[in-house]
Amino acid sequence: MSSKHIPSCPRGGQRLPRRTLLRAAGMSLGLPLLESMTPAARSAFSAAKQDGVASPVRMACVFVPNGVIQPEWRPTVDGYTRGSHGELESEGQTGNVVSRDWQLGATLDPLAAMKSKINLIENLALDTGRAKKDGAGDHARGGSTFLTAARPVKTSSAIRLGISVDQVAATALAGQTTLPSLELGLKGSRNAGSCDSGYSCAYSSNISWRNETQPMPKETIPRLAFERMFGAGDAAVQRERRETRSSILDIVRGDAEKLIRQVGETDKRKLDEYFTSIREIEQRIERTEEEDRASLPDLEVPYGRISAFREHARLMFDLMVVGFQTDTTRVATLMLDSAGGNRTYGEIGVNDAHHGLSHHRNKEDSVAKLAKIDHYLIEQFGYFLEKLDAASDAHGTLLDQSMVLYGSGLGDGNRHTHHDLPLVLAGGAGGKIETGRVMRYENEQPMANLFLSMLDCMGTPAESVGDSTGMLDGLVS
């Protein structure tokens, strides 16, 4: 990285382009927003305010399988009671309910610190996931419709679905970031064969779809996801890094040292924090690889063991944070398990398979175990939100500049329902979305209407997605 033609700034640093990268040996490392990247090296926040510098909106979507235990999920809304189907009832009042006076349900308690920065959206449905004439296969339909709201063709071979909301945004933003989108998961994809009552495994394994017939391949190995984001270089460089355990920071050290000499004290501290976080991610990846090699010596690279679920999930969340922080990508998806996933959670004392438990038939013990799983998954999501909220951006935090959707394509896993889905939408989308609300729609709304609103916030509007009928009323300011 050359320092030529970089105008000097009045506070001890030099002006840097926003897209400054550290490069070496075919690798590149993006940087967070620095004071030196804004006019006159003022603080990033005031520079954006005074000069009208727009900060990009990011979109992340996190999928969990098998629905949730609804009573534990539901928030308590002051002045209302819940009807038998979860509706909010208040004497003499009808219509949509928008409340800012509410309490988190037991499942969502890990989000207490983020309560003011989330919206809970109720009575959204994926009608395209319902059985209709296709019979069984609700899990496959729940996964495949989660971001597409399109009807999957029931087949084990000639798959056909539709483009997902993340890929609509990624296509429109192509060329503005190093990666158009980032697709992550904790379990590998199976795109051949039948996985759910005659539906292709592709429907259960993927939530991100490039087009009607092509799911986006997701990366499940933290090491490979990291190298995809920051440039793996050629095979020889990659092999040398692994053999010597050299960090990407070692490889770009020359550029990094030049950069540090060009910036002011505030940026030096910010870069030190950023480089430390990158190295910590690398070290955690190395530790999990060593653990996996010890337990599964026949595998060359780890896919994340069940006992390592928490660390695997958090590594992937950390990679998404860094991807957004450095503007490597603005669109990301993460599947915590495949649709109908049968993972066990021995680390929290649940040794029964998730999918099997979801057919609980109202047995008290099974319901309690499922509620424990729901709570544990939300804990990992809360970790992600807190990391986003701790990272600064031009107009506040990364969370303030993002939309993060968490949910399942099934409402009640026992009854295989596709309505009143459990959904959390976190982040303010750069001030476009007011947060801290429970929004309950009186009449069932297509989840695809939420997608249209999200695309509008991303600056990538679309006429339709799946079975959308229009943008979701009242969501966007």
Side-chain angles (χ1 to χ4, degrees), residues 120-259:
L120 304 186
I121 306 176
E122 301 188 341
N123 211 17
L124 269 57
L126 287 165
D127 182 62
T128 50
R130 288 173 168 136
K132 300 184 180 181
K133 296 181 180 181
D134 287 331
D138 289 282
H139 289 281
R141 289 193 297 266
S144 60
T145 61
F146 182 67
L147 295 183
T148 66
R151 184 76 178 175
V153 172
K154 191 168 189 176
T155 177
S156 61
S157 54
I159 57 175
R160 192 167 76 249
L161 185 60
I163 187 170
S164 54
V165 61
D166 62 302
Q167 289 306 302
V168 174
T171 299
L173 294 171
Q176 297 187 38
T177 57
T178 304
L179 298 178
S181 59
L182 182 65
E183 295 76 37
L184 301 175
L186 304 192
K187 183 177 180 180
S189 295
R190 287 181 57 193
N191 291 334
S194 174
C195 281
D196 187 2
S197 305
Y199 281 99
S200 168
C201 294
Y203 294 134
S204 299
S205 296
N206 304 282
I207 56 173
S208 180
W209 289 73
R210 186 194 310 272
N211 54 42
E212 287 188 343
T213 59
Q214 288 185 299
M216 294 291 293
K218 64 180 187 286
E219 186 54 72
T220 62
I221 303 170
R223 166 74 65 186
L224 298 186
F226 183 87
E227 291 177 345
R228 181 188 171 203
M229 291 172 63
F230 298 115
D234 59 30
V237 172
Q238 186 179 30
R239 183 169 56 254
E240 181 182 355
R241 279 191 66 214
R242 290 183 178 178
E243 290 174 353
T244 62
R245 296 187 180 277
S246 60
S247 165
I248 187 174
L249 299 177
D250 296 330
I251 294 174
V252 300
R253 182 179 300 278
D255 259 5
E257 290 175 349
K258 291 178 184 177
L259 174 66

Side-chain angles (χ1 to χ4, degrees), residues 48 88 137 139 188 227 242 257 288 346-347 350 357 377 418 421 477:
L88 290 169
H139 289 281
E227 291 177 345
R242 290 183 178 178
E257 290 175 349
T288 58
E347 63 270 35
V350 179
L357 277 175
L377 296 178
H418 297 265
L421 300 171
S477 302

Side-chain angles (χ1 to χ4, degrees), residues 219-227 238-239 241-246 279-305 308 311-312 315-316 319:
E219 186 54 72
T220 62
I221 303 170
R223 166 74 65 186
L224 298 186
F226 183 87
E227 291 177 345
Q238 186 179 30
R239 183 169 56 254
R241 279 191 66 214
R242 290 183 178 178
E243 290 174 353
T244 62
R245 296 187 180 277
S246 60
R279 185 57 189 137
E280 286 177 349
I281 290 174
E282 289 186 306
Q283 290 171 336
R284 287 162 57 201
I285 289 173
E286 290 169 3
R287 283 197 298 271
T288 58
E289 287 175 337
E290 289 172 357
E291 291 168 1
D292 285 339
R293 277 193 294 269
S295 62
L296 300 172
D298 57 320
L299 289 183
E300 183 178 349
V301 287
Y303 280 80
R305 292 169 291 118
E311 175 64 8
H312 195 175
L315 268 172
M316 293 309 203
L319 289 172

